[in-house]
Amino acid sequence: MKVLAILYKGGSAAKEEPRLLGTVENQLGIREWLESQGHEYVVSDSKEGPDSDFQKHIVDAEVLITTPFHPGYLTAELFEKAKKLKICITAGVGSDHIDLNSAVKNGVQVLEVSGSNVVSVAEHVVMSILLLVRNFVPAHEVIERGDWQVSDVARNAFDLEGKVVGTIGAGRIGYRVLQRLLPFDCKELIYYDYAPLPEAAAKTVNARRVEDLKDFVSQCDVVTVNCPLHEGTRGLVNADLLKHFKKGAWLVNTARGAICDKDAVAAAIKSGQINGYAGDVWNVQPAPKDHSWRTMKNPLGGGNGMVPHYSGTTLDAQARYARGTKSILENYLTSKAQEPQNVIVGVGKYETKAYGQR
Ligand code: NAI
C-alpha cells in the first residue's frame, strides 16, 4: 500500500527539534512503523503543479495524509486521477483543502484528528483579541525602534472588559474561546451558528445566540471566526457584511483565510471601518510575499496581528495530531471502526454537520 503525506518543510528547526512532527523531516513519526508492515511511505512538501510530488504520487496512493498548515489541494480534477485513493487523513483539524463533494462522489473517506488542536487555537484567538484591542504590536514596535511615545499607542488602546465579543461558529474552538473569555468581564458574549449550543453549555458561558448574521456583527466590538470553510462560508465576511460591523470593531480569524474576502478586509482596515484584523490563516498558503494582509494597517498605523499558519501546530498540538493520525491509520489498516467524531466524509456521504447544512 502506498501512503502519501504532504507536509511542510521544517528545515534546520526540524532537524534540531524532533517534536516538530508535522514536517517533512520528522514525517509524523510513523515511517518505521509503516515500513515495518511493508507499506510504502512517500513524504514531500512539493504540492503545486503537474510536476509536483503530490500530483505524481496521488495517481497510485491508497492513503493521503495532508496538513492544513501546508495544504495539498485535492481538487475535483485531481480526484479523477486518484484512482486508488481510499482515505484522506488530515493531520490536524479542517479538511477544506480536500474537495469534500468529490470525496463523497468518489467514495473516498475523509477523516481529521478532531479536537487535536482546538485548545491551541482557542488560546491563540484570545491572545489575538487582546493584542488588537490593547494595540500591542505598534507598542512593541515603538520599543524596538528605540522610541518611547506612549500617547502614540495609548490613543488606540482599550480594555476588553465591557466589550461585546461574538463568535461565528460555536463548535469546539468557538466554545473554548467563549469559556476562556468569561473572566474578562465582557459586556456580553454572543454567537452565530446554525447549530445552537445545548442549553446548559450556553448557560455556562452565558452566551446569547443571534440568528441573523448582519444583526450579529452589528452588535459586536470583536468578531472571531471559528467555523469551517465550505460553500456556505467562503467569502462570508465580505464588503457588504463589513459595512454592518460597528465602526472600529476588531476581527480575528484563525478558521480559514478564504472565509474573509482578502481585498474587502484590507480596504476596511485602511479606511478604519475595522480597527484591526488578526489571524494565522490565509486564502493561499504559503501566502505570497506581496499579500496585502502582511502589511495592511489602520489609519493610525496599527491593527495588524497576522502571523503564519501556526496557531494549531504548537508542539503540544503536533504530538496530539501525530498520535491521532497514526490511530486513524491503524484503524484503517486493521478494518476497525473509526472514532465517529473524526469522520468528516464516510464512504459516499457526509458524516459531519459542521461543513454546511445539507
Ligand atoms: P467544529 O466542527 O467543532 O465546529 C465548527 C462549528 O462551526 C459548528 O458548530 C458548525 O455548526 C459551525 N458552522 C458551520 N458553518 C457555519 C456557518 N455558515 N455559520 C456559522 N457557524 C457555522 O470545528 P472546530 O474544531 O471548532 O474547528 C473549526 C475550524 O477551525 C476548522 O474547520 C478549521 O478550519 C479551523 N482550525 C484552524 C486551525 C489553525 O491552526 N488556525 C486549527 C484547527 C482548526
Side-chain angles (χ1 to χ4, degrees):
M1 179 184 80
K2 185 189 253 191
V3 179
L4 169 63
I6 300 298
L7 303 173
Y8 58 92
K9 208 175 235 164
S12 55
K15 287 187 194 117
E16 288 159 24
E17 179 47 87
R19 290 175 298 174
L20 278 167
L21 283 165
T23 57
V24 168
E25 290 77 2
N26 297 324
Q27 317 198 332
L28 292 164
I30 53 174
R31 176 172 291 283
E32 248 178 63
W33 173 69
L34 274 175
E35 287 181 347
S36 71
Q37 300 177 56
H39 302 301
E40 187 189 354
Y41 187 35
V42 177
V43 180
S44 175
D45 71 322
S46 148
K47 67 185 183 81
E48 303 297 340
D51 296 329
S52 63
D53 288 341
F54 182 34
Q55 296 210 15
K56 256 191 320 217
H57 290 284
I58 196 70
V59 293
D60 60 349
E62 180 171 331
V63 178
L64 172 67
I65 302 172
T66 49
T67 159
F69 308 103
H70 182 73
Y73 296 101
L74 189 57
T75 58
E77 198 189 354
L78 276 185
F79 260 106
E80 295 306 315
K81 297 186 185 157
K83 296 285 182 222
K84 294 207 168 150
L85 190 63
K86 294 272 183 343
I87 179 169
C88 299
I89 306 173
T90 300
V93 172
S95 301
D96 49 278
H97 55 285
I98 311 283
D99 186 315
L100 297 176
N101 291 333
S102 296
V104 170
K105 196 177 114 200
N106 289 285
V108 174
Q109 300 181 65
V110 180
L111 285 96
E112 54 188 46
V113 191
S114 293
S116 57
N117 51 15
V118 295
V119 166
S120 322
V121 179
E123 289 184 1
H124 194 96
V125 172
V126 174
M127 175 186 78
S128 300
I129 292 174
L130 284 168
L131 74 82
L132 287 181
V133 171
R134 306 202 57 91
N135 209 20
F136 176 84
V137 175
H140 179 70
E141 286 166 354
V142 162
I143 285 306
E144 233 181 29
R145 60 172 184 264
D147 289 345
W148 190 273
Q149 200 53 42
V150 173
S151 51
D152 277 0
V153 288
R155 72 192 296 192
N156 201 19
F158 299 85
D159 297 336
L160 182 55
E161 183 182 73
K163 304 294 183 290
V164 176
V165 182
T167 174
I168 299 180
R172 294 178 185 88
I173 296 173
Y175 189 71
R176 280 166 179 76
V177 170
L178 297 174
Q179 283 179 316
R180 281 156 182 74
L181 287 176
L182 266 182
F184 285 93
D185 292 328
C186 293
K187 185 173 177 192
E188 207 184 3
L189 299 177
I190 61 179
Y191 74 100
Y192 171 82
D193 194 320
Y194 53 71
L197 283 168
E199 213 175 300
K203 212 167 155 203
T204 305
V205 292
N206 200 12
R208 175 170 61 89
R209 179 169 172 236
V210 179
E211 288 191 44
D212 178 77
L213 184 57
K214 287 178 179 160
D215 182 22
F216 167 82
V217 297
S218 73
Q219 298 181 43
C220 294
D221 297 296
V222 180
V223 174
T224 153
V225 184
N226 297 295
C227 58
L229 173 64
H230 54 77
E231 304 95 313
T233 58
R234 187 174 292 277
L236 188 69
V237 182
N238 53 26
D240 181 44
L241 189 69
L242 283 160
K243 283 189 208 140
H244 294 269
F245 276 55
K246 271 191 195 172
K247 186 162 168 65
W250 296 274
L251 176 57
V252 172
N253 174 16
T254 53
R256 284 295 175 261
I259 297 172
C260 297
D261 181 281
K262 168 177 156 278
D263 296 335
V265 165
I269 296 275
K270 194 171 174 208
S271 72
Q273 170 57 16
I274 58 173
N275 199 358
Y277 183 93
D280 66 330
V281 285
W282 304 72
N283 59 334
V284 184
Q285 294 190 184
K289 280 211 156 49
D290 62 351
H291 196 293
S292 53
W293 287 8
R294 287 180 186 265
T295 51
M296 62 190 177
K297 295 272 191 319
N298 65 25
L300 295 175
N304 186 327
M306 290 306 294
V307 291
H309 190 172
Y310 86 107
S311 72
T313 193
T314 57
L315 294 182
D316 301 299
Q318 294 193 46
R320 290 188 295 261
Y321 69 65
R323 207 164 43 237
T325 301
K326 186 176 176 193
S327 151
I328 292 169
L329 259 175
E330 225 162 12
N331 290 339
Y332 176 73
L333 293 169
T334 56
S335 304
K336 252 207 238 140
Q338 298 287 356
E339 304 275 341
Q341 78 271 12
N342 289 342
V343 187
I344 304 304
V345 171
V347 182
K349 63 178 195 317
Y350 278 90
E351 293 290 352
T352 176
K353 291 191 168 67
Y355 280 78
Q357 290 170 293
R358 297 189 165 77

